[in-house]
Amino acid sequence: MSYLVQNYNRKKLSFKIGKGSYLFTTNGVKYLDFVQGIAVNSLGHANPNLVKVINDQSKKLWHVSNAFIIPEGEILAKKIVEKTFASSVMFQNSGTEATEAAIKIARRYFYSKGKPEKNRIICIKNSFHGRTIAAIYASGSKKMIEGFGPKVQGFDHFNFGDHKTLKNLINKKTAAIMVETIMGEGGIKVIPDWCLKGLRQLCTKKKILLIMDEVQSGIGRTGDFFAFEKSKIKPDIVPIAKGIGGGFPIGAVLMTKKISSAMIPGSHGSTFGGNPLAMKIGSKVIDIISNKNFLYKVKKKSNYFHAELNKIKDQYPNLIKEVRGRGFLIGLQLFKDQSKFIDALMKNKLLTIKAADNVIRILPPLNVKKSEINVALKIIKKVCYKFTK
Ligand SMILES: *Cc1c(COP(=O)(O)O)cnc(C)c1O
């Protein structure tokens, strides 16, 4: 009997302790965790650096209102600005709050320019921007909006890769295009670099804003600090969350200077967003992940993982359709439903998670060891063998 609302389809498994790449159940059974809270624990479980920061800061100050200056937030914002396209940061607590705020900011920007009619946002159909009322309508997924009407106006959709429809959707009411650089929940679909470049050119030409949702793909997950950096484009607004707190809930919206000027005092706020404890943790995560050598190692280790997974794919061409993604945002696409495969991996003590399109999402911590990747590969091979026997 559970007193929790049953809004999740949970595996019958629970954990007591986490250490690095591993989780230990309440009975002490060890699992290799390549879910990591869905790309949240970017530095693994109970990272000693983060434990120390939490311990130290918890004795000093947890939370103060944004009615006061919060130096810890000023420091984290500066660090983020120094490493990215952005010139200002607004802190939230989660991904959906960050995407929701990104939508608000885009609209507010045109409002401040005397063009309040420019308020529509173009999104990819069946993308994922979170679960608030606006975000589910932005995502354009039938399943997510079911029962939550009336419809929230202001979103137009095109299918992934349908450039013609995208271009046709842009009109004088359009404020922005919002896309995930790599569609996470949608099945680890990567927007190719040439498309990102085209998207940037299109937005500049039409004088609309480009919002890149990096909630899942950002903060080193792909081996670049942001996934869009590989294509050398600069977006206007970027919501982030998942990886930046290393397991502590933090969200943020990054933006350029011209856009932040629209957000005047009182235009947006958050009670919890940007509190000193969260900011101290975020600062430590950024210090570690934005280090060039750290990111180089993410690229190197993840390239190895992709290459080995592709070898397995070649060995089982009737089972595995494609190895998708970049860095440690990996999708293993099967030809048929992946649920049983995920359960079999779990039986063999490797945790992975579903995405759309028959995709198994593999999300190791960014500081995973090569030996741990090898353990995962061995389990994946074993399950492939079993599935084709
Ligand atoms: C997870 C996710 C969100 C929502 O984040 P929450 O913290 O669950 O609200 C938004 N956008 C993308 C791309 C995500 O992966």
Side-chain angles (χ1 to χ4, degrees):
M1 175 72 189
S2 170
Y3 295 97
L4 291 171
V5 173
Q6 297 296 301
N7 59 323
Y8 295 103
N9 201 353
R10 298 176 193 270
K11 302 276 181 212
K12 291 201 169 37
L13 197 59
S14 47
F15 304 99
K16 198 170 180 181
I17 286 170
K19 193 163 186 278
S21 300
Y22 287 97
L23 275 171
F24 297 84
T25 66
T26 34
N27 306 321
V29 183
K30 185 176 166 185
Y31 284 81
L32 183 56
D33 181 15
F34 280 9
V35 179
Q36 292 291 336
I38 313 190
V40 165
N41 309 319
S42 40
L43 300 172
H45 294 282
N47 182 282
N49 296 298
L50 299 186
V51 170
K52 185 173 185 313
V53 169
I54 291 190
N55 280 340
D56 292 349
Q57 186 61 30
S58 70
K59 290 173 202 139
K60 292 180 192 161
L61 184 63
W62 296 23
H63 177 84
V64 287
S65 166
N66 282 304
F68 305 98
I69 290 170
I70 301 175
E72 295 83 358
E74 302 283 346
I75 290 167
L76 176 53
K78 183 165 184 275
K79 282 182 184 174
I80 293 172
V81 165
E82 280 169 358
K83 285 164 180 36
T84 67
F85 77 99
S87 55
S88 303
V89 183
M90 190 167 80
F91 289 110
Q92 310 289 137
N93 313 286
S94 65
T96 198
E97 280 178 294
T99 59
E100 177 99 12
I103 294 162
K104 286 180 73 177
I105 293 162
R107 288 181 177 168
R108 183 81 190 193
Y109 169 71
F110 285 107
Y111 171 87
S112 76
K113 295 266 164 207
K115 292 176 185 162
E117 73 282 1
K118 282 181 92 63
N119 54 33
R120 299 193 70 86
I121 317 281
I122 298 174
C123 305
I124 296 176
K125 189 148 190 59
N126 293 322
S127 50
F128 188 82
H129 300 294
R131 298 285 197 153
T132 57
I133 285 278
I136 57 175
Y137 282 94
S139 303
S141 136
K142 252 200 175 131
K143 203 174 128 201
M144 276 201 284
I145 63 173
E146 192 185 343
F148 297 119
K151 183 177 177 177
V152 173
Q153 299 294 328
F155 299 100
D156 300 302
H157 295 99
F158 66 101
N159 287 324
F160 185 86
D162 185 355
H163 300 169
K164 201 169 153 227
T165 303
L166 164 62
K167 279 174 193 154
N168 286 336
L169 283 173
I170 301 173
N171 60 35
K172 59 180 192 303
K173 288 188 175 171
T174 305
I177 299 173
M178 176 165 76
V179 296
E180 297 165 75
T181 316
I182 297 174
M183 288 172 75
E185 308 297 312
I188 317 291
K189 281 189 187 150
V190 182
I191 301 183
D193 287 347
W194 65 273
C195 282
L196 288 178
K197 286 195 178 99
L199 206 53
R200 176 67 271 178
Q201 280 165 6
L202 185 65
C203 288
T204 304
K205 192 174 139 215
K206 300 281 183 184
K207 295 193 168 63
I208 58 176
L209 303 176
L210 179 58
I211 306 172
M212 302 297 302
D213 181 346
E214 289 262 348
V215 169
Q216 191 158 162
S217 56
I219 324 296
R221 181 56 46 189
T222 63
D224 290 308
F225 190 75
F226 285 128
F228 62 74
E229 285 174 5
K230 191 168 163 285
S231 69
K232 308 236 168 5
I233 64 152
K234 284 197 170 81
D236 301 293
I237 302 173
V238 172
I240 61 171
K242 291 195 169 86
I244 190 185
F248 198 84
I250 306 177
V253 193
L254 283 56
M255 66 205 90
T256 59
K257 201 178 181 86
K258 73 168 188 189
I259 289 160
S260 64
S261 62
M263 300 305 285
I264 58 169
S267 59
H268 188 69
S270 166
T271 299
F272 292 112
N275 73 52
L277 187 57
M279 296 298 97
K280 273 286 188 180
I281 296 165
S283 279
K284 194 70 195 176
V285 172
I286 293 288
D287 285 346
I288 295 170
I289 290 178
S290 63
N291 180 294
K292 278 218 168 71
N293 191 40
F294 183 91
L295 288 172
Y296 170 76
K297 282 197 264 181
V298 171
K299 274 189 188 149
K300 206 173 149 197
K301 285 183 286 186
S302 62
N303 283 345
Y304 168 74
F305 203 175
H306 281 263
E308 292 300 311
L309 286 171
N310 271 304
K311 283 185 203 162
I312 299 177
K313 179 194 141 229
D314 293 342
Q315 236 179 317
Y316 297 96
N318 299 320
L319 177 66
I320 301 170
K321 193 171 173 192
E322 198 184 346
V323 180
R324 291 177 167 181
R326 202 191 301 151
F328 284 133
L329 186 51
I330 304 172
L332 200 61
Q333 189 192 29
L334 302 190
F335 280 100
K336 54 178 191 191
D337 185 78
Q338 76 283 50
S339 305
K340 286 202 175 105
F341 199 96
I342 289 173
D343 286 343
L345 292 173
M346 193 173 94
K347 265 209 185 91
N348 286 280
K349 311 290 184 291
L350 171 63
L351 303 175
T352 58
I353 193 158
K354 251 182 157 172
D357 257 8
N358 300 335
V359 166
I360 298 152
R361 238 182 316 175
I362 305 174
L363 305 162
L366 303 183
N367 56 0
V368 66
K369 295 189 182 87
K370 192 175 170 185
S371 59
E372 292 163 345
I373 293 174
N374 285 333
V375 171
L377 286 165
K378 208 169 158 187
I379 295 170
I380 293 167
K381 272 183 213 165
K382 185 176 162 193
V383 170
C384 283
Y385 177 73
K386 243 189 73 189
F387 266 65
T388 43
K389 238 188 356 172

